[in-house]
Amino acid sequence: MEVFLQVLVNGLMLGGLFAIIGIGLTLIFGIVKVINFAHGEFLMVGMYAAFLLTTALDVHPYTTAIAVIPLLFVFGMLTQRFLIQPLMNARDDHIQIFVTVGLSTALINLALLVFGAEFATTPPSGLRTALEIGPVRVLVGQLVVFGAATLLVVGLTLYLNNTQFGRAIRAVAQNRAAARLMGINVNWVYIVTFGLGAACVGLAASLIAPLYPTSQTIGTYFVLIAFVVVVLGGMGSITGAFLGAMVIGLIDSFSAYYIGSDLREVAVFTVFLLILILRPQGLFGGRQTLSHVS
Amino acid sequence: MTDQTLTPVQSPPSIRLRGLVALVTVLAAMLLLPVAIGDEFIYHIFITMCIFAALSTAWNIVGGYAGQLSLGHAIFYGIGSYVGVMLVGMGISPWIGMFAGAALAALVAVAISYPCFRLHGPFFTLATIAFLEVFRVLALHFRDVTGGATGMMIPLNIGWEWMVFRERLPSLIIAFGMLLVILAIAWWIRTNRLGFQLIATRERESAAKAAGINTVRVKLYAVAISAALSAMVGTFHAMYLTFIEPASAFSLPFSIQIAMFALIGGIGTVFGPLLGAVLLVPITEFARGALGGEAIGLHGFVYGVVLVLVALFMPNGVMGLVSRFFDRTKAEAPGQAGAIAKLPAQPEPDDIPGPPKAVPEPGDEIVRVVGLDKHFGGLHVTNNVSFKLREGEILGLIGPNGAGKTTVFNMISGFLKPDGGEVSVRAADGGWRSPVTPADYAAIGVGRTFQIVQPFAAMTVEENIMVGAFHRHHSTDDARHAARQTAERMGLARYLDAEANSLTIGGLKRLEVARVMAMEPRVLLLDEVMAGINHADVLRAIDLMLSIRDTGVSIIAIEHVMQAVMALSDHVIVLNSGRIIAEGKPNEVVRDPDVIEAYLGKEFTHDA
Amino acid sequence: MMLEVRHVDAGYGATTILNDVSLTVDEGEVVTIVGANGAGKTTTLRTISSLIKPTSGSVLFDGEDISRKGADEIVEMGITMIPEGRQLFPDMTVRENLMMGAFKKSARAHQADTLEEVLDLFPRVHERLDQNANSLSGGEQQMVAIARGLMARPRLLMFDEPSLGLAPIIVTQVFEVIDKIVATGATVLIVEQNVFHTLKAADRGYVLENGAIVMADKADALLDNEHVRKAYLGI
């Protein structure tokens, strides 16, 4: 029973981690209608930045968020402006896929060039200390990630529904042509949205860096899971992504324990493929999603 | 309007000849250059080039023709490698092993693609990446079979039988031979029925279905062929490398590279992938050789940047540039003025039809619709809709927006499954059938158009109509001939060579009808072919529909243009909120108080 | 002169659609553009809205060249287009749709007042305020689209095919609403297939053929014109 509880809590904590990465991805997909195949590499860039800042300035890794979030925000905006925007009207989406795949390939190899193949370990600053809550143990850092993911979901939902710019973002997602006729600067909305999505990853990077060693492939690992999360939650649904992350976290944790840790990816991807095929609109995706694609 | 003469439209022979010369030169150089230089490293580069060109050409059958962007093609390559190596371990020659690998890869491809083809664009890409990941993890997990992370060595049996050689030349010959075979297959597909059907499916899946294409089946053909060819190359490559491991056999970067050569050369073109590989492989291999260990990651970085730049600035690849160059020379050639896409907007006086000709007496029933029901969520879109269509009859279907007219069309063409009720169609042999899928309906002779025109944008007018003609004809020549005849009849003969996109809305509506007519339907479903076209075109369209009917085709037409409904219909059905509220002769129906109330409005009564 | 289109060439990509098009709309005028499908009517409106940029020539609003401005700036200056095919925000309520209509800065401040005025004109829309836009019928959606356009308090209102794809009875209702708007003294530029009705409502009209203006006259004169009657009215 205690083992079961521990595996359950591990799963939820892992879910928090997946959620905080997936939210930005689903935001970008829901509004800009582009799947950012370089999303994981955004996380990698953020984590390297957090690592460099933490070690160079000798500060708490969380403090680096002050710099990493704006950095990623700007990086996201530039990506949209110079890589995605010129292709927004491309006749088929292949080209958009190639651009973000190319960006991903370039960033991974750039990291390899700069940092080499070794891991970069950000000082944990006490965040890998375990807390005993009743029969289960969780890391301080994991709890923070979980809390931050929850706050991010609530905050973004409020922002999109209750502010003028938030409504403009939704309007663009629902009908780009009409939004333009309302006087909304559609390209700017896309740029800001991409920036916001990347900024979410920036926050994630600062929170995750002290928990996981950074390498050039860390993005590939996390982003594939983040895609699963986003598809499960219904592309473009922010609360959906959160719930999806929990489900995947649990599957990952339980399959690692009960099936074998080298096959947990197979379990996760099997679920992913089943969902994609049986319910492409996602488990939780319904009318409330931002996008109208599926 | 059928006075336009039929002009054969093909590239002038000089241009085709130039293309052929260029192709032969490139291919000959790929074989002869390394032989002439005789350097080991050069041989290696050219063999790699052939392998990548072959893989990329095979990928292009799915990624380009069928438009399904797979980034998991290493699955099939990997299957080919592993099967080949394992069979060699059992003493079976890779020449046999490669066919075993191909068969397995084709099976796997069909099994994983069948469900995934329901996904579009990036979702399909994601699913292929996920499958690749699963294969890699499984190959690592089942150590006993695959050797796990340590990989497998092939036994060093030298000789043609084992595809392993001391010299490089035989390997080059095999790689080159494989490339030639794959190129020939890709070329054959592109110029024949399957290629047309694949591209039509890629461009507009619903329109392709309406043209009688079993879109899932043709895509499965494509993926099976592509996977089998990739696996064969995989077997050979494993013999060439003499060693395989999961990380390189089922690698995402490798899959991306395969797709990348196609993008750079020109996705969807026959020789683009070849060109992409020829241009890029030497550069990167030299860079890898020269920089090697000093700059780990550099060549990957360069690949990434090239990919981004090509996507941004050269989305049609090198072939795009080449064909733009050819187009320019073509436009300068005398007598080859660019196609003028504007259709004449003004009616010629004699174009306006006189009073309708004597209406032939409608014949036997050909379509029976009984009690069609459809719900969308809580909305009852069609409620117990029943009607009959007789042979040679024009049935007008009118009603306010949202009355369920298009829903009825979708149910009597297989695009939507009714919740209740039945549709039966009398086949040419006289028996009654109940078709289910759009392909069934097309096969029995029911053709339809779409309210929003759905041209195959990347095709010319002629090719668009050919897609319809392929429903009846198997050979390209027959289909082309039939398409030209249809085009002439529909007044599109002058625009055969124009891109479908360049037509005006009136022209596109006519193209939509032409594509269906090329299928030689017995029942024609026309969804608002008159909406948004001007008065003169309405008159022509009426004339055209009457002439189609006179050839014995039965027509059901959804229309808002009352003038057309009145002039054309033998019988009119009025649909409101999913129910039939009135039916009868056009003159009776427009006087029906319910119809005036629900649809026509008071104003119409003065006009009529 | 409120709006002046001067010698404009425009099109999409390599295809030129408009060829030396010039037209004017004065304050308080109702002007219509008549033409066959594909003649370039919608392209003209899209050029004025700056959704596409002219390849040569200029568009002047209050004497200022606006042809290089962004679409959002054009709306801000007081030109609103009610697009063909309704184009609502499907997953927003009718109220939210109308609020988006008043997105531009100058309209946002008067949002509440404007909403009241607009709803007076559209009692049916009033009843549906809290429904999702995609649950409305086609006719209702067209009304919301017009109401949303008015929310911007435009100085020049452009209609693109307001009756397209609507049942005859709904068309009548749409024209009643347009007549009401015209009666308030609004400046209107309208493109419509239903040539007879529009010419009756308009002060002046232009005839556009193959991307060029071939005729410009008072609306009643065009109604009597032999060519117009034959080509566009079918009389």
Side-chain angles (χ1 to χ4, degrees):
Chain A
M1 187 61 202
E2 274 178 27
V3 172
F4 178 82
L5 270 182
Q6 183 64 50
V7 175
L8 182 79
V9 169
N10 285 353
L12 291 178
M13 291 301 119
L14 210 50
L17 185 71
F18 297 154
I20 207 166
I21 301 168
I23 289 164
L25 192 63
T26 208
L27 183 71
I28 293 173
F29 179 77
I31 312 296
V32 194
K33 309 279 158 65
V34 166
I35 291 194
N36 180 18
F37 281 87
H39 199 72
E41 282 60 54
F42 283 26
L43 177 74
M44 176 198 74
V45 168
M47 285 176 73
Y48 273 117
F51 162 76
L52 287 179
L53 287 170
T54 311
T55 46
L57 305 177
D58 196 19
V59 289
H60 190 279
Y62 286 176
T63 349
T64 62
I66 304 168
V68 175
I69 294 175
L71 173 80
L72 267 288
F73 184 69
V74 172
F75 190 43
M77 298 216 303
L78 293 176
T79 305
Q80 168 64 27
R81 174 62 191 84
F82 293 104
L83 299 186
I84 312 288
Q85 187 176 311
L87 302 175
M88 284 304 275
N89 297 318
R91 217 171 48 77
D92 57 83
D93 38 25
H94 285 183
I95 295 298
Q96 293 166 9
I97 297 176
F98 273 116
V99 156
T100 55
V101 166
L103 181 62
S104 152
T105 309
L107 287 175
I108 290 174
N109 287 286
L110 186 63
L112 198 58
L113 264 175
V114 175
F115 295 96
E118 283 126 64
F119 288 110
T121 311
T122 309
S125 307
L127 296 170
R128 280 189 223 154
T129 315
L131 282 181
E132 306 243 354
I133 307 171
V136 294
R137 293 154 53 92
V138 281
L139 303 185
V140 180
Q142 287 183 321
L143 271 183
V144 173
V145 167
F146 191 89
T150 317
L151 284 178
L152 198 56
V153 169
V154 174
L156 271 178
T157 310
L158 288 176
Y159 177 73
L160 289 175
N161 283 316
N162 297 301
T163 65
Q164 189 77 11
F165 199 79
R167 267 195 295 269
I169 290 180
R170 282 165 59 218
V172 169
Q174 294 181 20
N175 190 331
R176 166 154 54 138
R180 190 167 280 148
L181 291 173
M182 301 300 110
I184 297 171
N185 185 335
V186 171
N187 283 336
W188 178 245
V189 167
Y190 284 151
I191 290 171
V192 171
T193 307
F194 215 106
L196 283 176
C200 292
V201 183
L203 174 65
S206 285
L207 300 184
I208 295 172
L211 299 177
Y212 287 83
T214 305
S215 72
Q216 74 280 348
T217 52
I218 188 140
T220 321
Y221 172 70
F222 275 123
V223 84
L224 277 175
I225 304 275
F227 278 134
V228 177
V229 160
V230 168
V231 169
L232 196 62
M235 286 278 186
S237 161
I238 291 167
T239 35
F242 186 81
L243 295 174
M246 294 305 140
V247 171
I248 291 302
L250 290 172
I251 293 174
D252 189 309
S253 158
F254 277 96
S255 59
Y257 187 80
Y258 291 102
I259 301 175
S261 69
D262 66 332
L263 284 183
R264 48 189 215 163
E265 272 181 297
V266 175
V268 168
F269 285 120
T270 308
V271 172
F272 171 58
L273 293 166
L274 284 177
I275 298 294
L276 263 183
I277 290 154
L278 300 177
R279 248 187 94 82
Q281 72 273 38
L283 277 190
F284 312 107
R287 300 238 28 88
Q288 75 277 21
T289 57
L290 296 164
S291 87
H292 283 263
V293 167
S294 58
Chain B
M1 55 194 219
T2 51
D3 56 345
Q4 293 98 347
T5 45
L6 219 73
T7 43
V9 273
Q10 262 169 359
S11 310
S14 64
I15 287 173
R16 270 185 300 160
L17 192 67
R18 241 184 290 172
L20 191 65
V21 169
L23 177 68
V24 170
T25 314
V26 168
L27 287 175
M30 286 175 81
L31 187 61
L32 299 179
L33 265 183
V35 177
I37 299 172
D39 180 80
E40 286 277 301
F41 184 57
I42 300 287
Y43 264 117
H44 171 71
I45 288 178
F46 276 79
I47 292 168
T48 311
M49 203 193 288
C50 287
I51 284 168
F52 270 112
L55 284 172
S56 190
T57 304
W59 176 89
N60 196 40
I61 296 171
V62 173
Y65 301 174
Q68 297 280 351
L69 203 156
S70 153
L71 288 183
H73 246 56
I75 295 173
F76 313 123
Y77 163 87
I79 288 176
S81 304
Y82 268 93
V83 170
V85 172
M86 285 176 201
L87 290 181
V88 167
M90 295 176 209
I92 299 170
S93 157
W95 290 104
I96 297 164
M98 67 195 245
F99 287 99
L104 182 63
L107 274 179
V108 169
V110 168
I112 63 182
S113 304
Y114 181 70
C116 286
F117 278 153
R118 291 171 53 190
L119 308 169
H120 294 279
F123 298 94
F124 179 81
T125 308
L126 277 175
T128 58
I129 295 178
F131 268 118
L132 179 62
E133 201 61 18
V134 168
F135 269 84
R136 193 178 56 78
V137 173
L138 289 177
L140 283 170
H141 180 77
F142 292 102
R143 274 174 218 99
D144 306 342
V145 191
T146 63
T150 40
M152 291 167 105
M153 290 288 292
I154 58 161
L156 282 177
N157 308 325
I158 311 277
W160 277 93
E161 190 191 349
W162 303 101
M163 285 190 189
V164 181
F165 310 97
R166 280 185 219 289
E167 298 86 42
R168 298 277 186 165
L169 180 60
S171 293
L172 177 66
I173 291 172
I174 296 177
F176 185 75
M178 282 187 142
L179 172 62
L180 282 189
V181 169
I182 293 177
L183 278 175
I185 293 173
W187 178 82
W188 185 87
I189 292 176
R190 178 62 187 87
T191 50
N192 278 281
R193 191 167 182 244
L194 181 60
F196 276 81
Q197 295 186 327
L198 283 172
I199 288 168
T201 303
R202 176 187 78 195
E203 293 294 313
R204 300 261 178 177
E205 186 145 5
S206 48
K209 281 183 184 162
I213 299 171
N214 186 334
T215 55
V216 173
R217 190 189 301 159
V218 295
K219 284 196 283 187
L220 287 179
Y221 284 150
V223 82
I225 295 170
S226 172
L229 296 176
S230 303
M232 293 168 87
V233 178
T235 306
F236 166 71
H237 202 197
M239 299 305 131
Y240 177 70
L241 297 175
T242 68
F243 169 72
I244 52 169
E245 55 169 346
S248 59
F250 297 105
S251 140
L252 177 60
F254 186 74
S255 302
I256 294 175
Q257 237 173 316
I258 295 173
M260 181 177 96
F261 293 129
L263 171 76
I264 288 166
I267 281 190
T269 61
V270 179
F271 300 108
L274 168 71
L275 213 53
V278 167
L279 290 176
L280 240 72
V281 170
I283 299 174
T284 50
E285 288 298 320
F286 270 119
R288 208 204 298 254
L291 299 164
E294 282 168 51
I296 173 174
L298 183 62
H299 90 277
F301 177 69
V302 172
Y303 266 154
V305 171
V306 167
L307 202 48
V308 170
L309 292 178
V310 169
L312 280 175
F313 300 111
M314 221 170 67
N316 293 323
V318 181
M319 286 300 275
L321 293 182
V322 173
S323 71
R324 211 183 305 163
F325 170 75
F326 276 149
D327 274 354
R328 205 178 307 139
T329 34
K330 192 162 125 187
E332 283 162 7
Q336 278 284 332
I340 303 139
K342 285 228 162 67
L343 292 168
Q346 295 311 313
E348 298 302 319
D350 56 4
D351 258 355
I352 298 163
K357 293 156 201 141
V359 183
E361 206 49 42
D364 298 334
E365 287 170 13
I366 185 161
V367 178
R368 280 189 206 140
V369 174
V370 183
L372 278 191
D373 261 316
K374 186 74 200 175
H375 297 262
F376 288 142
L379 209 61
H380 205 161
V381 213
T382 59
N383 189 349
N384 196 20
V385 169
S386 307
F387 58 86
K388 283 165 189 153
L389 176 72
R390 290 168 187 287
E391 214 154 20
E393 181 182 48
I394 298 183
L395 182 67
L397 188 53
I398 62 172
N401 297 83
K405 301 183 300 286
T406 298
T407 307
V408 168
F409 257 36
N410 285 338
M411 286 190 287
I412 58 176
S413 55
F415 279 82
L416 210 58
K417 222 174 107 78
D419 295 336
E422 206 188 342
V423 182
S424 24
V425 182
R426 190 159 53 83
D429 61 15
W432 286 88
R433 309 277 151 73
S434 297
V436 179
T437 64
D440 294 346
Y441 275 95
I444 203 168
V446 179
R448 71 166 292 180
T449 68
F450 291 89
Q451 191 179 348
I452 295 156
V453 289
Q454 306 209 341
F456 303 121
M459 293 180 164
T460 65
V461 167
E462 180 181 61
E463 289 170 330
N464 263 272
I465 306 174
M466 278 170 77
V467 171
F470 271 121
H471 182 62
R472 294 271 172 234
H473 304 279
H474 279 260
S475 97
T476 310
D477 289 341
D478 293 350
R480 194 182 300 275
H481 183 72
R484 288 190 185 168
Q485 277 184 333
T486 311
E488 192 170 5
R489 190 162 156 215
M490 304 296 295
L492 286 167
R494 273 200 284 172
Y495 314 106
L496 280 175
D497 204 17
E499 289 278 321
N501 266 357
S502 65
L503 294 180
T504 61
I505 186 77
L508 286 173
K509 295 245 170 192
R510 232 187 287 178
L511 176 60
E512 185 92 5
V513 179
R515 191 172 63 214
V516 184
M517 287 310 293
M519 297 167 66
E520 298 167 27
R522 296 159 57 238
V523 177
L524 191 55
L525 309 179
L526 300 174
D527 195 350
E528 290 204 38
V529 282
M530 315 241 182
I533 65 176
N534 67 336
H535 186 76
D537 279 341
V538 166
L539 295 179
R540 286 152 172 264
I542 291 176
D543 209 20
L544 186 65
M545 280 168 70
L546 287 173
S547 78
I548 291 173
R549 193 268 313 271
D550 290 345
T551 63
V553 178
S554 320
I555 299 176
I556 307 181
I558 296 179
E559 268 314 328
H560 274 312
V561 180
M562 282 310 289
Q563 181 198 6
V565 175
M566 301 293 290
L568 282 171
S569 313
D570 301 303
H571 196 82
V572 174
I573 290 175
V574 188
L575 215 56
N576 189 31
S577 306
R579 288 168 188 280
I580 295 180
I581 57 165
E583 62 178 304
K585 296 259 175 253
N587 284 322
E588 301 160 16
V589 165
V590 294
R591 263 178 270 163
D592 187 308
D594 288 344
V595 177
I596 291 171
E597 166 75 30
Y599 179 60
L600 296 171
K602 303 242 156 37
E603 207 175 67
F604 185 81
T605 41
H606 319 295
D607 298 0
Chain C
M1 205 50 65
M2 186 188 256
L3 176 79
E4 203 176 344
V5 175
R6 279 189 190 164
H7 307 294
V8 159
D9 290 357
Y12 303 89
T15 3
T16 304
I17 296 184
L18 298 185
N19 197 343
D20 196 26
V21 166
S22 297
L23 60 85
T24 61
V25 181
D26 214 344
E27 187 118 35
E29 260 192 322
V30 177
V31 176
T32 179
I33 305 174
V34 172
N37 223 275
K41 297 173 309 223
T42 297
T43 309
T44 308
L45 295 194
R46 291 174 63 88
T47 311
I48 297 169
S49 302
S50 207
L51 294 175
I52 52 176
K53 311 276 180 240
T55 46
S56 77
S58 55
V59 180
L60 277 69
F61 191 64
D62 290 336
E64 187 188 345
D65 188 349
I66 57 167
S67 53
R68 299 287 142 198
K69 288 185 186 294
D72 49 316
E73 292 171 276
I74 305 292
V75 176
E76 200 66 57
M77 292 182 78
I79 302 180
T80 289
M81 172 155 108
I82 295 169
E84 176 185 321
R86 314 188 268 286
Q87 307 281 359
L88 299 184
F89 303 113
D91 266 359
M92 288 188 172
T93 62
V94 169
R95 188 192 299 277
E96 281 181 307
N97 265 281
L98 295 180
M99 281 167 79
M100 290 320 299
F103 180 82
K104 65 174 194 176
K105 290 185 200 79
S106 50
R108 233 177 273 179
H110 315 281
Q111 199 169 297
D113 301 343
T114 322
L115 185 63
E116 245 173 73
E117 288 172 38
V118 168
L119 290 178
D120 278 347
L121 210 56
F122 298 93
R124 284 284 284 286
V125 172
H126 202 163
E127 292 163 25
R128 308 256 183 239
L129 267 183
D130 294 309
Q131 277 184 335
N132 256 12
N134 59 4
S135 69
L136 305 184
S137 72
E140 287 169 336
Q141 289 193 9
Q142 183 63 61
M143 297 300 173
V144 175
I146 297 175
R148 187 181 60 179
L150 293 175
M151 286 298 293
R153 297 183 155 269
R155 293 185 49 220
L156 169 65
L157 189 57
M158 302 195 293
F159 287 93
D160 190 7
E161 310 266 11
S163 78
L164 190 80
L166 294 176
I169 190 169
I170 308 290
V171 173
T172 313
Q173 291 169 12
V174 167
F175 278 111
E176 278 166 18
V177 165
I178 293 174
D179 289 346
K180 271 195 215 166
I181 294 169
V182 167
T184 64
T187 313
V188 173
L189 178 59
I190 181 165
V191 159
E192 188 32 70
Q193 285 288 328
N194 194 328
V195 173
F196 184 72
H197 198 113
T198 346
L199 279 177
K200 276 183 128 178
D203 300 312
R204 289 191 300 117
Y206 293 88
V207 178
L208 195 62
E209 281 174 11
N210 291 326
I213 302 272
V214 295
M215 221 183 279
D217 210 330
K218 295 253 179 259
D220 32 5
L222 287 177
L223 265 176
D224 290 334
N225 180 285
E226 186 63 23
H227 176 71
V228 172
R229 289 171 73 89
K230 203 171 150 196
Y232 302 106
L233 297 171
I235 302 171

